[in-house]
């Protein structure tokens, strides 16, 4: 069973040229198999093209068309449209959405590159969170880069309980138990109910580790 929570796609009304970003989350089962999935939504940039900026206007039209294709489940068409969009004008939202499609298609290196390009233009907690999930889904998982990405996400949204939970899960998997316990407790206080069981589990690991060390030092 996967420890990482699933990511659901969510969009704002199509009448607007913007859609909120997608989020990857990590959930709750034993520490052995941690495979993240996609979590909240896909995005487009809040840019408003000026009357003479035909490049940005064209990029946003393609972005809207790509989002419609994504909503219809046509990932290949969505990828082609998003790729054309960032070719016409590189935007954070265009790269973000391209990352969502590449992730869903299982092209993790391409998803990572797209989200890194999105972050370079406009850092966001959602892009960093998704990047962390992509690193953990990679074969082999890249925990150090995932930790960096989720730490960056938390620096942008320090009270986000999902980010706290996700980072705690990876830290637990790398035996950073004290910090993981702190973050699980914060995540539980922030409304992530499954974090309570994880906190108890990590607390037991810490106690067992302490008792073992004391026994070895006698």
């Amino acid at each position: 069973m996967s420890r990482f929570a699933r990511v659901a796609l969510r969009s704002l009304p199509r009448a607007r040229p913007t859609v909120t970003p997608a989020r990857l989350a990590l959930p709750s089962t034993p520490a052995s198999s941690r495979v993240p999935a996609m979590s909240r939504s896909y995005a487009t940039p809040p840019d408003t093209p000026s009357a003479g900026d035909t490049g940005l206007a064209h990029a946003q039209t393609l972005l809207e068309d790509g989002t419609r294709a994504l909503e219809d489940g046509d990932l290949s068409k969505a990828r082609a449209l998003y790729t054309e969009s960032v070719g016409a004008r590189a935007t954070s939202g265009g790269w973000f959405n391209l990352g969502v499609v590449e992730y869903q298609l299982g092209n993790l290196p391409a998803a990572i590159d797209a989200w890194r390009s999105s972050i370079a233009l406009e850092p966001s907690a959602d892009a960093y969170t998704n990047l962390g999930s992509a690193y953990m889904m990679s074969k082999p998982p890249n925990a150090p880069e995932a930790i960096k990405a989720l730490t960056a996400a938390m620096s942008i949204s320090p009270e986000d309980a999902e980010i706290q939970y996700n980072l705690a899960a990876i830290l637990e998997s790398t035996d950073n138990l004290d910090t993981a316990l702190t973050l699980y407790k914060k995540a539980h206080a922030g409304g992530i109910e499954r974090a309570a069981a994880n906190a108890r589990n990590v607390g037991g690991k810490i106690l067992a580790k302490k008792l073992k060390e004391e026994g070895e030092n006698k």
Side-chain angles (χ1 to χ4, degrees), residues 115-148:
W115 283 322
R116 289 176 69 89
S117 294
S118 177
I119 288 165
L121 291 172
E122 184 180 350
S124 73
D126 287 306
Y128 275 120
T129 300
N130 286 5
L131 186 61
S133 266
Y135 278 126
M136 287 305 291
M137 279 289 289
S138 298
K139 295 181 180 179
N142 190 336
E145 288 299 326
I147 290 170
K148 287 180 185 178

CSV table of all heavy atoms in Angstrom, one decimal, residues 115-148:
chain,number,residue,atom,x,y,z
A,115,TRP,N,8.5,21.2,-14.0
A,115,TRP,CA,8.3,21.9,-12.7
A,115,TRP,C,9.4,22.8,-12.3
A,115,TRP,O,9.3,23.9,-11.7
A,115,TRP,CB,7.9,20.9,-11.6
A,115,TRP,CG,6.5,20.4,-11.8
A,115,TRP,CD1,5.4,21.2,-12.2
A,115,TRP,CD2,6.0,19.1,-11.6
A,115,TRP,NE1,4.3,20.4,-12.2
A,115,TRP,CE2,4.6,19.2,-11.9
A,115,TRP,CE3,6.5,17.9,-11.2
A,115,TRP,CZ2,3.7,18.1,-11.7
A,115,TRP,CZ3,5.7,16.8,-11.1
A,115,TRP,CH2,4.3,16.9,-11.3
A,116,ARG,N,10.7,22.3,-12.6
A,116,ARG,CA,11.8,23.2,-12.3
A,116,ARG,C,11.8,24.5,-13.2
A,116,ARG,O,12.1,25.6,-12.7
A,116,ARG,CB,13.1,22.4,-12.5
A,116,ARG,CG,13.4,21.3,-11.5
A,116,ARG,CD,14.6,20.5,-11.8
A,116,ARG,NE,15.8,21.3,-11.6
A,116,ARG,CZ,16.5,21.5,-10.5
A,116,ARG,NH1,16.1,20.8,-9.4
A,116,ARG,NH2,17.6,22.2,-10.4
A,117,SER,N,11.3,24.3,-14.4
A,117,SER,CA,11.2,25.5,-15.3
A,117,SER,C,10.1,26.4,-14.7
A,117,SER,O,10.2,27.7,-14.8
A,117,SER,CB,10.8,25.1,-16.7
A,117,SER,OG,11.9,24.4,-17.3
A,118,SER,N,9.0,25.9,-14.2
A,118,SER,CA,7.9,26.7,-13.7
A,118,SER,C,8.4,27.4,-12.4
A,118,SER,O,8.2,28.6,-12.3
A,118,SER,CB,6.8,25.7,-13.3
A,118,SER,OG,5.7,26.5,-12.6
A,119,ILE,N,9.2,26.7,-11.6
A,119,ILE,CA,9.7,27.4,-10.4
A,119,ILE,C,10.7,28.5,-10.7
A,119,ILE,O,10.7,29.5,-10.1
A,119,ILE,CB,10.4,26.3,-9.5
A,119,ILE,CG1,9.3,25.4,-8.9
A,119,ILE,CG2,11.3,26.9,-8.4
A,119,ILE,CD1,9.8,24.1,-8.3
A,120,ALA,N,11.5,28.3,-11.8
A,120,ALA,CA,12.5,29.3,-12.2
A,120,ALA,C,11.8,30.6,-12.6
A,120,ALA,O,12.3,31.7,-12.3
A,120,ALA,CB,13.3,28.8,-13.3
A,121,LEU,N,10.6,30.5,-13.1
A,121,LEU,CA,9.8,31.7,-13.5
A,121,LEU,C,9.0,32.3,-12.3
A,121,LEU,O,8.9,33.5,-12.2
A,121,LEU,CB,8.9,31.4,-14.7
A,121,LEU,CG,9.6,31.1,-16.0
A,121,LEU,CD1,8.5,30.5,-17.0
A,121,LEU,CD2,10.3,32.3,-16.5
A,122,GLU,N,8.4,31.4,-11.5
A,122,GLU,CA,7.6,31.8,-10.4
A,122,GLU,C,7.5,30.7,-9.4
A,122,GLU,O,6.7,29.8,-9.5
A,122,GLU,CB,6.2,32.2,-10.9
A,122,GLU,CG,5.3,32.8,-9.8
A,122,GLU,CD,3.9,33.1,-10.3
A,122,GLU,OE1,3.7,33.1,-11.5
A,122,GLU,OE2,3.1,33.4,-9.5
A,123,PRO,N,8.3,30.7,-8.3
A,123,PRO,CA,8.3,29.7,-7.3
A,123,PRO,C,6.9,29.6,-6.7
A,123,PRO,O,6.3,30.6,-6.4
A,123,PRO,CB,9.4,30.1,-6.3
A,123,PRO,CG,10.2,31.0,-7.1
A,123,PRO,CD,9.4,31.7,-8.0
A,124,SER,N,6.5,28.4,-6.4
A,124,SER,CA,5.2,28.2,-5.7
A,124,SER,C,5.3,26.9,-4.9
A,124,SER,O,6.0,26.0,-5.2
A,124,SER,CB,4.0,28.0,-6.7
A,124,SER,OG,4.1,26.8,-7.4
A,125,ALA,N,4.5,26.9,-3.8
A,125,ALA,CA,4.5,25.7,-2.9
A,125,ALA,C,4.0,24.5,-3.7
A,125,ALA,O,4.5,23.4,-3.5
A,125,ALA,CB,3.7,26.0,-1.7
A,126,ASP,N,3.0,24.7,-4.5
A,126,ASP,CA,2.5,23.5,-5.3
A,126,ASP,C,3.5,22.9,-6.2
A,126,ASP,O,3.6,21.7,-6.3
A,126,ASP,CB,1.2,24.0,-6.0
A,126,ASP,CG,0.0,24.2,-5.1
A,126,ASP,OD1,-0.3,23.3,-4.3
A,126,ASP,OD2,-0.5,25.3,-5.2
A,127,ALA,N,4.2,23.8,-6.9
A,127,ALA,CA,5.2,23.2,-7.8
A,127,ALA,C,6.3,22.5,-7.1
A,127,ALA,O,6.8,21.4,-7.5
A,127,ALA,CB,5.8,24.4,-8.7
A,128,TYR,N,6.8,23.1,-6.0
A,128,TYR,CA,7.8,22.4,-5.2
A,128,TYR,C,7.3,21.1,-4.6
A,128,TYR,O,8.0,20.1,-4.5
A,128,TYR,CB,8.3,23.3,-4.0
A,128,TYR,CG,9.3,24.3,-4.4
A,128,TYR,CD1,9.2,25.6,-4.3
A,128,TYR,CD2,10.6,23.8,-4.8
A,128,TYR,CE1,10.2,26.5,-4.6
A,128,TYR,CE2,11.6,24.7,-5.2
A,128,TYR,CZ,11.4,26.1,-5.0
A,128,TYR,OH,12.4,27.0,-5.4
A,129,THR,N,6.0,21.1,-4.2
A,129,THR,CA,5.4,19.8,-3.6
A,129,THR,C,5.4,18.7,-4.7
A,129,THR,O,5.7,17.6,-4.4
A,129,THR,CB,4.0,20.1,-3.1
A,129,THR,OG1,4.1,21.1,-2.0
A,129,THR,CG2,3.4,18.9,-2.5
A,130,ASN,N,4.9,19.1,-5.9
A,130,ASN,CA,4.8,18.1,-7.0
A,130,ASN,C,6.2,17.7,-7.3
A,130,ASN,O,6.4,16.5,-7.6
A,130,ASN,CB,4.2,18.8,-8.2
A,130,ASN,CG,2.7,18.9,-8.0
A,130,ASN,OD1,2.1,18.6,-7.0
A,130,ASN,ND2,2.0,19.4,-9.1
A,131,LEU,N,7.2,18.6,-7.3
A,131,LEU,CA,8.6,18.2,-7.6
A,131,LEU,C,9.1,17.2,-6.6
A,131,LEU,O,9.7,16.2,-7.0
A,131,LEU,CB,9.5,19.4,-7.6
A,131,LEU,CG,10.9,19.3,-8.0
A,131,LEU,CD1,11.0,18.8,-9.5
A,131,LEU,CD2,11.6,20.6,-7.9
A,132,GLY,N,8.8,17.4,-5.3
A,132,GLY,CA,9.1,16.4,-4.3
A,132,GLY,C,8.6,15.0,-4.6
A,132,GLY,O,9.2,14.0,-4.4
A,133,SER,N,7.3,15.0,-5.0
A,133,SER,CA,6.7,13.7,-5.3
A,133,SER,C,7.3,13.0,-6.5
A,133,SER,O,7.5,11.8,-6.5
A,133,SER,CB,5.2,13.9,-5.6
A,133,SER,OG,4.4,13.7,-4.4
A,134,ALA,N,7.6,13.8,-7.5
A,134,ALA,CA,8.3,13.2,-8.7
A,134,ALA,C,9.6,12.6,-8.3
A,134,ALA,O,10.0,11.6,-8.8
A,134,ALA,CB,8.4,14.3,-9.8
A,135,TYR,N,10.4,13.3,-7.5
A,135,TYR,CA,11.7,12.8,-7.1
A,135,TYR,C,11.5,11.5,-6.3
A,135,TYR,O,12.3,10.5,-6.5
A,135,TYR,CB,12.4,13.8,-6.2
A,135,TYR,CG,13.1,14.8,-7.0
A,135,TYR,CD1,12.9,16.2,-6.7
A,135,TYR,CD2,14.1,14.5,-8.0
A,135,TYR,CE1,13.6,17.2,-7.4
A,135,TYR,CE2,14.8,15.4,-8.7
A,135,TYR,CZ,14.5,16.8,-8.4
A,135,TYR,OH,15.2,17.7,-9.1
A,136,MET,N,10.4,11.4,-5.5
A,136,MET,CA,10.2,10.1,-4.7
A,136,MET,C,9.7,9.0,-5.6
A,136,MET,O,9.8,7.8,-5.3
A,136,MET,CB,9.3,10.4,-3.5
A,136,MET,CG,9.9,11.2,-2.4
A,136,MET,SD,11.4,10.4,-1.8
A,136,MET,CE,10.8,9.0,-1.0
A,137,MET,N,9.0,9.4,-6.7
A,137,MET,CA,8.5,8.4,-7.6
A,137,MET,C,9.6,7.9,-8.5
A,137,MET,O,9.4,6.8,-9.2
A,137,MET,CB,7.3,9.0,-8.4
A,137,MET,CG,6.0,9.0,-7.7
A,137,MET,SD,5.3,7.3,-7.6
A,137,MET,CE,4.9,7.0,-9.3
A,138,SER,N,10.7,8.6,-8.6
A,138,SER,CA,11.8,8.2,-9.5
A,138,SER,C,12.4,6.9,-9.1
A,138,SER,O,12.2,6.4,-8.0
A,138,SER,CB,12.8,9.3,-9.6
A,138,SER,OG,12.3,10.5,-10.0
A,139,LYS,N,13.0,6.2,-10.0
A,139,LYS,CA,13.6,4.9,-9.7
A,139,LYS,C,15.1,5.0,-10.0
A,139,LYS,O,15.6,5.1,-11.2
A,139,LYS,CB,13.0,3.8,-10.6
A,139,LYS,CG,11.5,3.6,-10.3
A,139,LYS,CD,11.0,2.5,-11.2
A,139,LYS,CE,9.5,2.3,-10.8
A,139,LYS,NZ,8.8,1.2,-11.7
A,140,PRO,N,16.0,5.0,-8.9
A,140,PRO,CA,15.5,4.9,-7.5
A,140,PRO,C,15.0,6.2,-7.0
A,140,PRO,O,15.3,7.2,-7.6
A,140,PRO,CB,16.8,4.5,-6.8
A,140,PRO,CG,17.9,5.1,-7.6
A,140,PRO,CD,17.4,5.0,-9.1
A,141,PRO,N,14.2,6.2,-5.9
A,141,PRO,CA,13.8,7.4,-5.4
A,141,PRO,C,14.9,8.3,-5.0
A,141,PRO,O,16.0,7.9,-4.5
A,141,PRO,CB,13.0,7.0,-4.1
A,141,PRO,CG,12.6,5.6,-4.4
A,141,PRO,CD,13.8,5.0,-5.2
A,142,ASN,N,14.7,9.6,-5.1
A,142,ASN,CA,15.8,10.6,-4.8
A,142,ASN,C,15.3,11.4,-3.6
A,142,ASN,O,14.8,12.5,-3.7
A,142,ASN,CB,16.0,11.5,-6.0
A,142,ASN,CG,17.3,12.4,-5.8
A,142,ASN,OD1,17.7,12.7,-4.7
A,142,ASN,ND2,17.8,12.9,-6.9
A,143,ALA,N,15.5,10.8,-2.4
A,143,ALA,CA,15.0,11.4,-1.2
A,143,ALA,C,15.7,12.8,-0.9
A,143,ALA,O,15.0,13.7,-0.5
A,143,ALA,CB,15.2,10.5,0.0
A,144,PRO,N,17.0,12.9,-1.1
A,144,PRO,CA,17.6,14.2,-0.8
A,144,PRO,C,17.0,15.4,-1.6
A,144,PRO,O,16.7,16.4,-1.0
A,144,PRO,CB,19.1,14.0,-1.2
A,144,PRO,CG,19.3,12.6,-1.0
A,144,PRO,CD,18.1,11.9,-1.4
A,145,GLU,N,16.8,15.1,-2.9
A,145,GLU,CA,16.2,16.2,-3.7
A,145,GLU,C,14.7,16.4,-3.3
A,145,GLU,O,14.2,17.6,-3.3
A,145,GLU,CB,16.3,15.9,-5.2
A,145,GLU,CG,17.7,16.0,-5.7
A,145,GLU,CD,18.3,17.4,-5.6
A,145,GLU,OE1,17.5,18.4,-5.7
A,145,GLU,OE2,19.5,17.5,-5.4
A,146,ALA,N,14.0,15.3,-2.9
A,146,ALA,CA,12.6,15.5,-2.5
A,146,ALA,C,12.6,16.3,-1.2
A,146,ALA,O,11.7,17.2,-1.1
A,146,ALA,CB,12.0,14.1,-2.3
A,147,ILE,N,13.5,16.1,-0.3
A,147,ILE,CA,13.5,16.8,0.9
A,147,ILE,C,13.8,18.3,0.6
A,147,ILE,O,13.2,19.2,1.2
A,147,ILE,CB,14.6,16.3,1.9
A,147,ILE,CG1,14.1,14.9,2.4
A,147,ILE,CG2,14.9,17.2,3.1
A,147,ILE,CD1,15.2,14.1,3.2
A,148,LYS,N,14.7,18.6,-0.3
A,148,LYS,CA,15.0,20.0,-0.7
A,148,LYS,C,13.8,20.7,-1.2
A,148,LYS,O,13.4,21.8,-0.9
A,148,LYS,CB,16.1,20.0,-1.7
A,148,LYS,CG,17.5,19.7,-1.2
A,148,LYS,CD,18.5,19.8,-2.3
A,148,LYS,CE,19.9,19.4,-1.9
A,148,LYS,NZ,20.9,19.5,-3.0
